[in-house]
Amino acid sequence: MPRIVLPRDERVNDDVRMEQRVSLITLGVADVGRARTFYEALGWRTGAEPGDDVVFFQAGGMVVALWSRASLAEDSGVADGGGFGGVTLAHNVRSSAEVDAVLDEAGRAGATIVRGGAETFWGGYSGVFVDPDGHPWEVAHNPHWQLADDGSVSL
């Protein structure tokens, strides 16, 4: 693969380096409207218009988007095998009771609860729900991490 060379004034330490952060996660979905309804039932808010082909949610310091799975695969240049992609999303909370409350809320919104809240091998408490498009979300309380008032996590 060819190396991309930036002009000297855009280099860091004379090397091109990717900053250690995630800006956007796009979830490929079968029906954008249905997916939007699900996430809004969890309390998420968007500025997207009804019928928009992509929906963006501000999620702390990053963005989560919903877009057609076929369009996302085409745009990304990958073949969509339709199976588990080896990625899970996580939502950390402040207590074990909050894990159970979020899992209950997700279930009422239409998620499948695949692992109810329980103590973990790493000393925390977590459970997992799967959204209507098959994206797994771990809901976790990790007593070893700090959760700020805005929901951001510090190791």
Side-chain angles (χ1 to χ4, degrees):
M1 176 169 263
R3 181 171 181 212
I4 298 172
V5 179
L6 295 175
R8 185 172 253 339
D9 61 343
E10 294 182 32
R11 294 183 189 185
V12 177
N13 296 329
D14 208 33
D15 289 322
V16 177
R17 300 232 168 126
M18 180 178 174
E19 293 179 28
Q20 187 170 315
R21 65 179 160 79
V22 175
S23 305
L24 169 71
I25 294 174
T26 302
L27 303 178
V29 299
D31 180 322
V32 173
R34 180 193 68 184
R36 175 185 181 157
T37 298
F38 171 77
Y39 283 95
E40 287 178 335
L42 294 179
W44 290 35
R45 298 293 167 246
T46 181
E49 295 294 324
D52 281 357
D53 65 342
V54 64
V55 175
F56 296 103
F57 296 100
Q58 186 69 53
M62 62 179 301
V63 174
V64 173
L66 307 173
W67 194 24
S68 154
R69 186 174 177 116
S71 296
L72 180 60
E74 180 182 348
D75 185 64
S76 301
V78 299
D80 182 5
F84 173 60
V87 175
T88 61
L89 304 166
H91 177 77
N92 282 64
V93 296
R94 293 169 182 81
S95 69
S96 299
E98 195 174 347
V99 169
D100 293 332
V102 170
L103 290 172
D104 287 345
E105 181 180 36
R108 286 192 306 275
T112 301
I113 308 303
V114 294
R115 182 168 52 83
E119 298 292 326
T120 66
F121 70 91
W122 43 265
Y125 186 89
S126 76
V128 177
F129 71 83
V130 176
D131 78 6
D133 286 282
H135 302 290
W137 282 84
E138 179 184 33
V139 182
H141 168 61
N142 185 335
H144 309 292
W145 289 1
Q146 301 217 358
L147 194 61
D149 290 342
D150 68 358
S152 60
V153 176
S154 296
L155 299 176

